[in-house]
Structures are given as structure tokens and as C-alpha cells.
Amino acid sequence: MKDIALLKNHPAALFGMFLWGLAVILIFVKVALEPGQHTVLDSYLLGADRWIDRVKLYSGPGGFIYTPTFAVLFVPITKLPIFLADLLWRLFIIGLYAWASLRLLRHFQEYSGETLFNRFGLFSLIAVPIAFSGFRNGQVNVILIAAMMLVISQIIEKRWNSAALILALIMSLKPTFIVFFLLVTTLFRPFWLRVPLMLLAFLSLPLVFGGLDYGLEQYNNFLEMADSAVDRGVTTPNWASFFNIPMQLFNYSVPENLQNILKIILAAMTWAVCFYAIVRHGTRTGLIYLLSFAACYHVMFNPRSVNTDYIILGSVLAFWFTAATCQWRDKALAWTTGLIALGVLFAFDISRTLVTDATSWFNPLMAAVFTGVLIWQLSSKRVFAP
């Protein structure tokens, strides 16, 4: 009762808590009235159905674009009626995201005078509006950021086996997880043996359930599809990635070779900064910097980023906003992260309003600005734990 009373004294946090219920209600109504609409579940089911029929999983850089392991694990969902599958899938990703957020916040709540309820409410104030389109569409990116937050929590708790299991599973389903995956697995020694073995086990599932010939054929098809998908991302200017900013604003295309060189350099710098944060400020604080820099790099340099993918960045912004408000009482940082979050939330409209026919340049710009904020905080020796 004390927690609830304290929450009522913070209307912003109370409204953040209300947003969860509103999101679930709106999605339930949407699924009930328009089953199968505004969802990417059909793409997932397409892969599973093709697996069942033992036909080629991929038909180019659209449709089903996940790994053969994803198709295998999604087969049970094909047995459900479309309405039930749509609803349960969305409720699953929303519940996972909420649970992962709470798990992460709980590790830092003890250093604040506020309750966990209040902190979660403030977090939700930013996270839920940005995440809503991902909830509505049933996007796997909701699972990606939830997995990132869960892994951070489990490393803090030294639960290496369960953390390794999550890393291996998600990496076996969606290769764009590789940014966070490589940072964590290279920086923490307990993962060096665990993760490769578990990843190999998950990747072998298509060979076990589909046979060696069919499984290997689908992996070969997956590589061809991935190559064409990346090529489309690099050559099409309407994606929400960093190197598309000059194309959308100035009609200038950054050469692909230069893009690759810069990505490698920035990847090395990201790894070094995360290593420094862990060594200089300890595991707990260093992991938040790792999560934050990984999120920025992921959304900026994935050639097929879209505006709805920025739930990954929005979740990190929500965490920093909450810490600035509850833990440090830093109004400047709270306003800065809050305004960046508003930019992410309304990026589509801002992009289109400022530049005709350009809809995806403002989000990567916000990610770049937040990267600068992170460097500022790290240089200022901002820590989350004594």
C-alpha cells in the first residue's frame, strides 16, 4: 500500500503505468476488429508453413527474412487460429518487454529514494509510446531489446548459463542481434565457451528436424537472402540508418566501401569504450553503457533499420531519463533524454515536415545525438552504483 500511495503522489509515473493497460486494450480491440492487419506475424507464419511443406523458405529480401531455426521454432504457432495467434503473440512480447524492464530497473532501484513502482512508471512514460508500434505489429525487435535487458540483469546476478542461453537463442533467430551479442560475449570470459556451444545447438535444429540436405539448403538460401537484403538496405535511401541521412537531406550517397570502413572503425571504438566503462566504473555501470552504445550502433548502422525499430533506442532513453529523474535529480539530463525521446516518437512526422518525401532521417540523427550524450556522461564519470 505504501508503494501505491507513493505512486499516486507522482502523476507522471502513474500515467506511465496507465499506458501499459491502454496499450493492451488498444491491441486487443485492434486484433478483434481487424485480425491479421498491421502485423508482421504473417511473415513469421509464412516461414513456418514453408518449413512444414518442405519448400524453399525464402523468396528474396522481403517476406520471411529470419533464420531456418526461427521457422522451426515457430511451427507450433501455425496450429492456432489466426486471431488467437495474433493476440497471444502480441501479449507475449508485451509481457516479456515489461518483465525485462522491471528486472533491469530493480538492480538500480536500491540506490534511489523512490520505489520501484515509481521508477517503472517513469520508465514507461517514455518506453511504452515509442514501443507501441512494435507491440501493435508484433515485431521481433521488441524481443531483441527485452533479451538485451534480461542479459544485462543476469550478468549482474552472475547467472552465466541462463544469460548464455538467451544470447545463443536470439542470435540463432535474428542475426542483427550481433552488435550486442559480440560486445557481451567478447567482454565477459564466462561466455567464451558457453555461448558457442549453445549457439551451435540452436543452429543445428533445422538439420535435426528437417534432415541434413534440406536444412543445409535452407541455410544456403538464407545467406543468399541476407546478402540481397543488405544490398537493398545499402542502395535504397528510405531506411532509417545513419548513412541515409545525407541521401535524404542532400541527395548524396555515401559510397558503400566507405560505409563499411567507417562501420568497422566505429565498431572497434564502441568495443573500446564499453571495455573502458566496465574497467573504470565497474560491471554494473559498465553494462548500462554497453547496452546504451550497443542500442545506438544497432539502430544507426543496421542498413535495414526502420522507424519502428527504434524501440531499441527508446528503451535505453527511458532508462536514462528515469535515472536522471529519480537517482541523480539532474534536470538537464532529464530534459535532454526526454526531448530526444520525443524526437524518436515523432520522427516520421518531423522528417516529413522538414524535408518533403523524406521520412526516416530524423531517427538516426537522434541516435547520433544520444551517442554524444553518452560520451558526455562517460567523460563526466556518471555512475549508476557507488
Side-chain angles (χ1 to χ4, degrees):
M1 293 300 294
K2 181 180 179 181
D3 290 336
I4 300 300
L6 183 57
L7 184 60
K8 290 180 179 178
N9 294 328
H10 296 80
L14 182 61
F15 182 70
M17 298 291 284
F18 162 77
L19 289 175
W20 286 101
L22 181 63
V24 172
I25 292 171
L26 290 176
I27 287 172
F28 181 85
V29 171
K30 183 72 174 176
V31 173
L33 296 179
E34 299 178 339
Q37 300 296 315
H38 291 289
T39 177
V40 292
L41 185 69
D42 56 344
S43 295
Y44 311 153
L45 293 173
L46 175 64
D49 286 333
R50 287 175 174 174
W51 177 268
I52 293 171
D53 295 335
R54 291 296 186 268
V55 298
K56 185 177 180 180
L57 296 178
Y58 308 99
S59 53
F64 183 71
I65 57 172
Y66 303 92
T67 65
T69 300
F70 191 109
V72 173
L73 295 180
F74 221 78
V75 166
I77 308 298
T78 63
K79 309 303 180 182
L80 298 175
I82 186 63
F83 167 81
L84 189 59
D86 249 347
L87 182 61
L88 290 180
W89 175 251
R90 286 176 168 96
L91 291 178
F92 166 71
I93 65 174
I94 293 172
L96 181 66
Y97 182 75
W99 179 54
S101 303
L102 274 169
R103 284 284 306 277
L104 182 64
L105 290 167
R106 188 178 64 185
H107 287 291
F108 300 91
Q109 183 267 334
E110 63 193 62
Y111 300 107
S112 166
E114 309 293 338
T115 69
L116 179 59
F117 290 105
N118 183 48
R119 176 169 280 222
F120 183 61
L122 288 176
F123 173 90
S124 304
L125 192 66
I126 286 180
V128 174
I130 295 176
F132 181 74
S133 60
F135 294 163
R136 180 196 63 196
N137 298 338
Q139 288 185 301
V140 171
N141 279 317
V142 179
I143 296 178
L144 290 194
I145 184 59
M148 293 178 191
M149 292 189 287
L150 284 174
V151 168
I152 296 299
S153 298
Q154 289 172 327
I155 293 175
I156 293 173
E157 298 166 6
K158 299 188 184 304
R159 298 176 60 185
W160 302 109
N161 289 331
S162 57
L165 184 67
I166 294 173
L167 285 167
L169 173 61
I170 302 302
M171 189 62 204
S172 72
L173 301 178
K174 192 169 175 66
T176 53
F177 188 64
I178 194 169
V179 177
F180 179 82
F181 177 85
L182 288 178
L183 284 173
V184 170
T185 54
T186 56
L187 286 170
F188 292 93
R189 188 186 297 272
F191 291 134
W192 290 2
L193 181 61
R194 289 176 171 90
V195 171
L197 292 176
M198 292 182 183
L199 179 59
L200 184 62
F202 282 119
L203 292 176
S204 68
L205 291 179
L207 309 182
V208 173
F209 291 101
L212 184 62
D213 291 340
Y214 179 70
L216 290 177
E217 180 184 1
Q218 298 318 304
Y219 271 116
N220 182 62
N221 293 336
F222 170 77
L223 293 175
E224 292 177 357
M225 178 280 302
D227 182 65
S228 63
V230 170
D231 183 66
R232 175 185 285 189
V234 171
T235 58
T236 306
N238 60 343
W239 301 100
S241 58
F242 183 79
F243 289 118
N244 276 338
I245 295 178
M247 186 62 187
Q248 294 188 43
L249 295 184
F250 312 111
N251 200 32
Y252 171 74
S253 179
V254 180
E256 185 176 353
N257 288 338
L258 179 59
Q259 290 187 32
N260 293 333
I261 292 172
L262 290 175
K263 286 179 183 178
I264 293 172
I265 293 173
L266 291 172
M269 292 174 63
T270 300
W271 189 94
V273 168
C274 293
F275 176 79
Y276 168 80
I278 293 170
V279 172
R280 179 66 178 82
H281 298 300
T283 299
R284 191 182 299 244
T285 291
L287 282 169
I288 296 300
Y289 281 106
L290 186 154
L291 175 66
S292 304
F293 280 112
C296 290
Y297 190 99
H298 178 111
V299 295
M300 282 197 293
F301 299 116
N302 174 8
R304 289 174 61 94
S305 283
V306 295
N307 285 319
T308 53
D309 293 344
Y310 279 73
I311 178 182
I312 294 173
L313 180 64
S315 305
V316 175
L317 284 166
F319 185 90
W320 279 86
F321 172 80
T322 304
T325 303
C326 294
Q327 183 172 336
W328 304 314
R329 303 296 196 273
D330 188 330
K331 292 183 179 180
L333 182 59
W335 274 103
T336 300
T337 52
L339 289 173
I340 294 173
L342 280 176
V344 171
L345 181 61
F346 296 106
F348 179 89
D349 295 315
I350 294 172
S351 297
R352 186 173 56 178
T353 300
L354 296 180
V355 181
T356 305
D357 297 328
T359 59
S360 305
W361 62 271
F362 199 74
N363 254 331
L365 179 61
M366 289 296 94
V369 171
F370 184 58
T371 302
V373 172
L374 291 174
I375 294 172
W376 164 42
Q377 293 302 300
L378 184 59
S379 64
S380 301
K381 301 179 181 178
R382 179 78 74 180
V383 298
F384 292 87

